[in-house]
Amino acid sequence: MTTIRQRRVGKGTEADDDQPSEEKNLKPDGKILTGHTGGKLWNILSITVGGIVAISLGLLTSVYVATLHENDLWFSNIKEVEREISFRTECGLYYSYYKQMIQAASIQQGLHGLVYDNKTESVRTINILERMNVYQEVFLSILYRILPIQQYLEPVYFYIYTLFGLQAVYVIALYVTSWLLSGTWLSGLLAACWYITNRIDTTRVEFTIPLRENWALPFFAVQIAAITYLLRTHLQPVQERLTLMAVFIATFLFSLTWQFNQFMMLIQALALFILDCFDMLPTAKVMWLYIIQISGLLLVCVLQFFNSMILGSLLISFNASVLIARTIQKNLKKGGLLNRLGKLILHVLLVLCLTLLINKFIKKILNLESDEHIFKFLKAKFGFGATRDFDANLYLCEEAFGLLPLNTFSRLSDTLLFYVYIFVLFFMTVAAVIIAFWNLSGSNQVQFMEKMEECTVTLKPDAAYNLIHTILFGCLALSTMRMKYLWTSHMCVFASFGLCSTEVWKLTLKCIHLYTSQRTRVIKYSVPIMTLLYISYKFWPGIMDELSELREFYDPDTVELMNWIKSNTPNTAVFAGSMQLLAGVKLCTGRTLTNHPHYEDKNLRERTKQIYQIYAKRSPEDVYRILRSFGTDYVILEDSICYERRHSRGCRLRDLLDIANGHIMDGLGENEPDLKPSLYPRFCEEIKKNLPPYTIHFTRVFQNKTFHVYKLAKHK
């Protein structure tokens, strides 16, 4: 624990109040239990009740999101093809591998089909276990096959119930983290209630079930809870070893289930680095956490057949650089303020330079280019020059990768979460800045401390970690909306901890000269309870209305398309089209695809750009040649893309293709001066006129209000 406190000047009562032993045997009503036995019994009772509440809230959350999913789609009543279509975009692709493993003649044949897959990308054999994070689908399918539940539970229900069950783990982990930070399970109760009442901004599991983040975030929450416990003072060696093991297991599972794991853990590593530099965490524990991150990621790398994108990650380069730099600079935390600052600046520069050198070296050795689209996107997003790169612009134009909308804060404010969060964040940040300055100043700043009248600042290592964690992930969420779920869930933890924290209320009351220990205890429990009552009164009726609202899945055009494909095309047929639609084609029909939504491979990105020329201004001969080069038998055109209105001009898919091809965009508006008119009309529009240049190569075999399917001629 790092502490700054006022000097003792004879006020014996206040000096005693600052002792941590005072807080040990408190009831929520503020009464103190006398006697060692009474205190033990109260602790056991409190832990038992708190544990029961945690498990109950976790299970209730699982039932809640499962009920919403059922009510929204009428999932139990719709046909199998409709259930599968409801797994939109990449969700359908991931679920297709679970279905593939279930339907395989044996587990061995199922695994062989994933390792030597030739249906996900036509004219190419790829290793699905290497390219994608689908071990969870493999594990779940094997579990379903070996357990005696086939006659009681359909495979799809086993899958979705597992994901909804993980929500219970998620909520319990958030609850426990808040409990550990504040010392009272009332804080965990408030965190769980905020998570549920802010469901729109804390999770989207009920309508994107197979998404990788829905698998990964519960394990990430468990890891944060384990780190929070690890950073507590006075842990026994056995407790420390067991906690390190828990951190490793949670880190490994998080890394195994989400392809973006390395970027999330890089932010976590930066948080640890910042705190270690300011001497706010035990260095030995920080070093262990760096090693655990590297070990977990390397184990995933081995399981993913030495996936080069993992080896070339910035996380491994950064953590290795920190460990090397700490070995070189052993006296980093000695000396006065200026001496410490100088060493700190050199340390930061050394770590950054080593990170870039190691990362550049690894990528050069491995010839790694899989993640280049991410850096192009980040460069353009943060204003370091415009780009015509198709892949970068595809991300830039998606709302999910834009800035966090302002209406998010109004929704979070309705439950008081945002107001409380800002209040706690302000006081904790002030405390952190003061303590960071004190740690850097060392013994030379005694006079500065003497001038801090009536001010007590206490910041434990676990609270310091969660403070930096929420700040860094908050910055990530503000810049990229899709990542808000990492921030908003932790926001619930951090705000509830602050509202139930003795230190926060003590500092607040001291700043306005109203501090007494009894007043602190009363506020510490009364304010959270009043907040819970307000949330219950305001949002319980809305939750009940939401649970009673019944809807039904309805997408007849897509259902008609999938049924036609299954009935009228050979099993070996190869289909081209949009990434999102083709994921559904693979899941519902098992046909071979030319491209798909898992965008983490350079060759696939180039292939997708070529396939998407069906929506560009290209000649029928060019489009036919491109499609046949990927073995295409059928191409699916979607009116919703060809005549897109979802995005504004410049962000429609056809606009991105025109810019990448150097062609002038359609419609009113300015074009860059070097863009030229195309020699050909837009392919997806012109092909519908059945003109001879098109009918030579393409024959329409299916159409409805949304889709047009054309069969490619097989010219010699």
Side-chain angles (χ1 to χ4, degrees):
M1 185 195 306
T2 306
T3 305
I4 294 179
R5 57 191 298 171
Q6 70 180 86
R7 298 176 69 190
R8 301 191 183 193
V9 290
K11 292 185 180 181
T13 305
E14 280 199 12
D16 292 339
D17 288 341
D18 286 337
Q19 297 302 320
S21 59
E22 175 200 62
E23 301 289 333
K24 286 185 178 178
N25 300 324
L26 293 179
K27 287 186 179 180
D29 60 5
K31 295 179 181 178
I32 302 177
L33 285 171
T34 57
H36 184 67
T37 306
K40 262 192 168 183
L41 288 173
W42 173 250
N43 286 336
I44 292 170
L45 179 63
S46 178
I47 291 170
T48 303
V49 173
I52 292 171
V53 171
I55 294 169
S56 301
L57 282 171
L59 293 174
L60 282 173
T61 305
S62 294
V63 173
Y64 175 50
V65 293
T67 305
L68 289 177
H69 176 258
E70 170 63 25
N71 290 356
D72 193 47
L73 300 176
W74 204 6
F75 201 75
S76 60
N77 193 65
I78 58 178
K79 298 176 182 177
E80 183 68 19
V81 65
E82 293 175 310
R83 291 177 180 175
E84 292 177 347
I85 291 170
S86 71
F87 298 137
R88 303 282 186 181
T89 64
E90 62 198 275
C91 298
L93 182 68
Y94 297 132
Y95 182 77
S96 72
Y97 299 118
Y98 170 76
K99 179 181 176 181
Q100 183 177 325
M101 283 290 296
I102 292 289
Q103 293 180 343
S106 66
I107 293 173
Q108 291 76 10
Q109 287 188 19
L111 290 171
H112 185 274
L114 293 180
V115 175
Y116 301 98
D117 180 278
N118 54 14
K119 296 183 77 68
T120 302
E121 295 176 17
S122 57
V123 300
R124 190 180 181 192
T125 299
I126 63 173
N127 185 341
I128 299 298
L129 296 181
E130 176 192 357
R131 285 273 297 277
M132 303 181 199
N133 297 70
V134 295
Y135 269 101
Q136 50 268 49
E137 276 75 22
V138 172
F139 172 76
L140 215 59
S141 63
I142 293 173
L143 201 60
Y144 182 80
R145 294 178 71 122
I146 63 176
L147 291 176
I149 57 174
Q150 287 88 343
Q151 55 184 333
Y152 309 110
L153 196 64
E154 296 177 60
V156 67
Y157 279 108
F158 184 65
Y159 186 90
I160 66 173
Y161 286 166
T162 300
L163 266 300
F164 293 144
L166 274 177
Q167 281 294 297
V169 176
Y170 197 2
V171 170
I172 292 170
L174 298 176
Y175 183 107
V176 169
T177 305
S178 188
W179 187 358
L180 288 171
L181 287 168
S182 66
T184 171
W185 57 262
L186 181 63
S187 172
L189 174 60
L190 183 56
C193 289
W194 263 331
Y195 178 84
I196 295 167
T197 52
N198 291 283
R199 177 185 55 79
I200 293 173
D201 294 300
T202 55
T203 183
R204 49 179 174 167
V205 66
E206 74 272 14
F207 59 91
T208 59
I209 299 173
L211 208 61
R212 303 298 83 180
E213 68 187 50
N214 294 328
W215 284 97
L217 291 186
F219 299 122
F220 193 50
V222 171
Q223 187 224 40
I224 295 168
I227 290 175
T228 301
Y229 185 76
L230 177 69
L231 295 176
R232 302 181 88 179
T233 53
H234 309 303
L235 283 185
Q236 298 296 324
V238 174
Q239 292 175 313
E240 193 168 306
R241 284 194 292 269
L242 289 174
T243 308
L244 284 169
M245 181 61 69
V247 173
F248 173 76
I249 293 171
T251 301
F252 166 69
L253 292 174
F254 170 67
S255 303
L256 188 67
T257 50
W258 197 14
Q259 70 268 31
F260 292 144
N261 59 72
Q262 53 182 288
F263 304 106
M264 303 307 106
M265 288 202 295
L266 177 61
I267 294 174
Q268 190 177 61
L270 285 172
L272 295 169
F273 179 71
I274 292 168
L275 291 168
D276 185 41
C277 285
F278 289 111
D279 203 15
M280 298 170 76
L281 292 183
T283 300
K285 290 182 179 180
V286 172
M287 295 301 108
W288 272 113
L289 290 173
Y290 287 141
I291 293 168
I292 283 173
Q293 283 190 334
I294 293 175
S295 304
L297 211 55
L298 289 178
L299 182 55
V300 171
C301 181
V302 172
L303 288 175
Q304 289 192 280
F305 296 81
F306 297 94
N307 186 316
S308 59
M309 191 172 174
I310 295 176
L311 292 173
S313 68
L314 275 174
L315 174 69
I316 288 180
S317 302
F318 178 79
N319 285 11
S321 301
V322 175
L323 294 172
I324 293 169
R326 287 308 301 266
T327 304
I328 296 171
Q329 294 178 289
K330 292 182 179 179
N331 297 321
L332 187 65
K333 297 182 179 181
K334 294 181 180 179
L337 177 61
L338 294 178
N339 193 0
R340 287 283 302 271
L341 282 174
K343 288 180 180 179
L344 189 59
I345 292 169
L346 286 174
H347 182 64
V348 171
L349 290 174
L350 177 61
V351 169
L352 291 177
C353 292
L354 279 173
T355 300
L356 294 175
L357 286 172
I358 293 172
N359 193 253
K360 192 78 174 175
F361 176 75
I362 292 173
K363 286 185 174 180
K364 190 75 174 176
I365 293 294
L366 299 176
N367 193 27
L368 180 62
E369 297 177 314
S370 297
D371 58 354
E372 63 177 4
H373 65 299
I374 297 174
F375 295 105
K376 286 180 182 178
F377 159 70
L378 292 174
K379 183 180 176 182
K381 181 178 178 65
F382 293 111
F384 296 103
T387 180
R388 289 186 179 177
D389 183 78
F390 176 76
D391 302 318
N393 283 328
L394 201 61
Y395 280 106
L396 285 169
C397 286
E398 282 297 324
E399 185 182 359
F401 292 94
L403 300 176
L404 189 66
L406 293 177
N407 61 7
T408 305
F409 301 109
S410 63
R411 288 194 300 270
L412 295 173
S413 299
D414 286 342
T415 61
L416 304 181
L417 172 61
F418 187 65
Y419 297 130
V420 175
Y421 176 78
I422 293 298
F423 165 75
V424 176
L425 186 64
F426 172 76
F427 280 98
M428 296 294 288
T429 303
V430 169
V433 170
I434 293 171
I435 288 174
F437 184 80
W438 166 242
N439 288 344
L440 289 178
S441 301
S443 59
N444 296 329
Q445 294 296 319
V446 175
Q447 291 181 353
F448 167 77
M449 291 306 302
E450 290 175 347
K451 293 178 182 178
M452 294 179 60
E453 298 179 0
E454 300 297 324
C455 182
T456 301
V457 180
T458 304
L459 191 65
K460 299 175 184 176
D462 52 358
Y465 168 74
N466 280 275
L467 170 65
I468 301 299
H469 181 102
T470 198
I471 290 173
L472 293 183
F473 279 94
C475 294
L476 177 66
L478 291 171
S479 65
T480 308
M481 189 188 76
R482 183 176 177 179
M483 299 302 172
K484 73 175 180 179
Y485 302 101
L486 287 153
W487 182 44
T488 50
S489 58
H490 192 265
M491 186 189 289
C492 300
V493 171
F494 194 75
S496 60
F497 143 65
L499 214 58
C500 299
S501 168
T502 302
E503 288 81 7
V504 170
W505 286 117
K506 184 183 291 185
L507 176 60
T508 306
L509 293 174
K510 278 184 174 289
C511 289
I512 58 177
H513 306 290
L514 292 174
Y515 170 72
T516 66
S517 59
Q518 287 185 339
R519 189 174 289 152
T520 302
R521 283 188 225 115
V522 170
I523 294 175
K524 173 182 175 179
Y525 292 109
S526 61
V527 173
I529 289 171
M530 286 190 292
T531 305
L532 283 167
L533 291 173
Y534 168 79
I535 293 172
S536 301
Y537 173 76
K538 185 171 182 180
F539 293 97
W540 182 257
I543 290 174
M544 291 297 101
D545 290 342
E546 191 178 34
L547 288 172
S548 62
E549 188 176 351
L550 302 177
R551 291 181 290 270
E552 182 180 357
F553 177 85
Y554 185 75
D555 189 356
D557 291 347
T558 307
V559 170
E560 184 184 12
L561 172 67
M562 298 304 171
N563 287 333
W564 180 86
I565 291 173
K566 285 194 287 188
S567 302
N568 296 278
T569 64
N571 292 333
T572 56
V574 178
F575 278 79
S578 70
M579 296 183 290
Q580 295 79 5
L581 179 63
L582 290 184
V585 169
K586 184 181 188 306
L587 171 59
C588 297
T589 70
R591 302 303 188 262
T592 304
L593 314 180
T594 55
N595 55 307
H596 55 81
H598 194 272
Y599 218 51
E600 312 307 320
D601 179 77
K602 185 181 179 182
N603 290 328
L604 176 65
R605 291 195 295 272
E606 183 56 37
R607 174 187 283 228
T608 298
K609 180 182 174 182
Q610 291 299 311
I611 295 295
Y612 276 5
Q613 298 302 312
I614 58 179
Y615 296 109
K617 298 172 183 175
R618 299 290 293 268
S619 69
E621 293 78 16
D622 283 347
V623 174
Y624 177 80
R625 176 181 51 79
I626 291 168
L627 294 176
R628 286 302 298 163
S629 70
F630 298 117
T632 307
D633 297 311
Y634 298 88
V635 59
I636 308 172
L637 296 172
E638 300 170 62
D639 286 346
S640 58
I641 298 178
C642 191
Y643 308 107
E644 184 178 1
R645 295 180 180 179
R646 186 168 69 96
H647 290 107
S648 59
R649 184 178 185 272
C651 264
R652 300 169 298 189
L653 179 61
R654 63 178 188 263
D655 296 335
L656 301 181
L657 291 163
D658 289 344
I659 292 170
N661 293 339
H663 297 154
I664 290 174
M665 293 182 288
D666 294 335
L668 299 174
E670 295 183 359
N671 288 279
E672 294 184 27
D674 60 330
L675 295 178
K676 307 294 181 185
S678 174
L679 298 175
Y680 303 98
R682 193 165 304 282
F683 177 83
C684 64
E685 295 176 356
E686 202 69 11
I687 191 174
K688 295 169 187 174
K689 299 178 182 178
N690 291 324
L691 299 174
Y694 293 85
T695 55
I696 292 173
H697 305 294
F698 303 94
T699 304
R700 184 161 56 200
V701 291
F702 172 85
Q703 84 174 94
N704 60 23
K705 291 183 291 184
T706 306
F707 304 105
H708 303 260
V709 181
Y710 292 86
K711 185 175 181 179
L712 276 70
K714 294 188 177 180
H715 302 310
K716 292 184 180 179

